[in-house]
Amino acid sequence: MKRPALSMVVRVLAASLTLAAGHALAQTDTLPSWNDGAAKKAIVEFVQATTTQGNPQFVPPGERIATFDQDGTLWVEQPVYSQIMYCLDRVPAVVKAKPELAAVEPFKTVMSGNREAIAKLSMKDLEKILVATLTGMPTEEFRAEAKKWLDTARDPRWKRPYTELTYQPMQEVMKYMRANGYKTYIVTGGGQDFVRVYAEEVYGIPPEQVVGSAGGTKYGYDKAGRPFLLKEPRLLLNDDKAGKPEGIHLMIGRRPRAAFGNSAGDKEMLEYTKAGEGARLAMLVLHDDATREYAYGPAKGLRASRIGTFPQSLFDQAGKQGWVVISMKNDWKQVFSFDK
Amino acid sequence: MKRPALSMVVRVLAASLTLAAGHALAQTDTLPSWNDGAAKKAIVEFVQATTTQGNPQFVPPGERIATFDQDGTLWVEQPVYSQIMYCLDRVPAVVKAKPELAAVEPFKTVMSGNREAIAKLSMKDLEKILVATLTGMPTEEFRAEAKKWLDTARDPRWKRPYTELTYQPMQEVMKYMRANGYKTYIVTGGGQDFVRVYAEEVYGIPPEQVVGSAGGTKYGYDKAGRPFLLKEPRLLLNDDKAGKPEGIHLMIGRRPRAAFGNSAGDKEMLEYTKAGEGARLAMLVLHDDATREYAYGPAKGLRASRIGTFPQSLFDQAGKQGWVVISMKNDWKQVFSFDK
């Protein structure tokens, strides 16, 4: 009569194992929004090789660092970076606080609401708007304002919050890498304080894993003697192009094992990543899908774009240095989570 | 006959539970190098309150950030910071590479080996030595040099590597907090690149969790076209005093829940930490143990010190703002791991 009891235990154990195996099987396609092809294969092979003990390309958990550009790599950057929309939308509040700015350019043009004129603003004008809307306030006040905007602003094409315009395939890559012990970082030319407001909720990336363009702050006390940090118009890190590896060294202190980008601004980050020893993965998203998102280059004869430029020279360098180009049109089965 | 089988299962389960309970009991004194007293009690009560679900002071895991000053808080800072010793020891190599410096102050004095004269070098002289020994080389070359020095240099009093002169009670606090979901950071006035060389091995703190004084780097290519980062004499972050909360905002982006320091340089970090809502812990190590380590203040009538100054005003502020002062003499049963 002992047999049945033991066999029951065995059966329960076997059932658990079957469940676990089923779970593992269900997880095999961790990249369901990707079509089979060179890009998907490169990701899966890299993760498997670097996380399989005994594999010559094995990477210890602590060194599993993966960096992701944001604009154009994790979410939509056309027709203009979301953060620029935030800054333009903040101008009326800035002018209300300092009415003398209403008659001064570029604030006058922004207040006019003339879209054509606004689109023609120079980089110098934009910088003035960035300084006026991103600095001069305590960090916590900035955070609250940005959060409020993110909750209410809508992208004009999709009529959705900007934070919903993230690429489902890239969300899957980040989750897949994290599930395999990779620490995922955003390394963006965008404002570090801005991206940190939503990165945890939107990407599962905590503030301390967001590296971006960063200004200095100044420690002081309010009237009640309570300390605060004032955002200053003093650029510490311009986290674009060569600033990306410099920012990675400053904020992470280790060379990434994998890096993902989509434009000329990511070239140095990918070079720096691939220059390390052992297995390294470098990938670039090519926006060649005018129907589901946008198509721009000018690589491969796509239209040129001031935002997220992907020149032919970058495409050629990718080929030479073993970086993998992701075709949005061909490699992605689905672009957004809300696509059916 | 089914009963025995079931009771065996129960007994096995019970045995496991007993083991688990024994394990928990064994872990109750996670701070064996601490004497019972207000300091130990403050640490344990803080960790228990912030990690017990349902407790009104519960802190979600992601927000469990604890910051630790290094010099004088985690390891010995007297008679002079270890990094200064590194810089002085590097001077001969710098002079060898640039022989014209041999006749120029302050290098001439350092090369003379006259300890009294070296001890009298001004801050401006020291800065020149820091710039000459910490910048101008690729990051990886600096890392290799620092590592070599750390492996061979010995503290003159204990005749041991500097990296062995860490405080056992503070190592226990860091381990205890990490075991309870806290992310431990070093926030030091020392060089970020220097501390990152050994922090993982010595404290279990990875490079990306070391915030320190940081200079800029410049991305470039060597003759073989291989990219590297050159350490530049351009200070991005002076991570001392007000620079500590500023550095925390830059590098972590969240306010710490707990902060540990030992000198006037940590005042703003502790203020900033305690100014947040909910449970916060702020602690200061007072070096009042001339026998086992050093005694200096000038708080509490201890001798004044240029290194790691703990003024009476800081002691008084601690009392007013609910910061807990740790008496090395009374609160620490053991100072170093090699103490018997």
Side-chain angles (χ1 to χ4, degrees), chain A residues 245-247 249-250, chain B residues 139 193 215-219 229-232 234 236:
Chain A
E246 292 163 10
H249 178 75
L250 176 68
Chain B
T139 50
D193 281 348
T217 58
K218 192 173 169 59
Y219 183 81
L229 293 166
L230 187 74
K231 282 173 68 67
E232 289 194 314
R234 175 169 56 94
L236 288 183

Side-chain angles (χ1 to χ4, degrees), chain B residues 25-46:
Chain B
L25 268 177
Q27 285 198 321
T28 301
D29 201 2
T30 39
L31 303 174
S33 299
W34 290 72
N35 289 315
D36 289 329
K40 181 176 180 175
K41 194 162 168 268
I43 297 164
V44 173
E45 285 184 355
F46 173 82

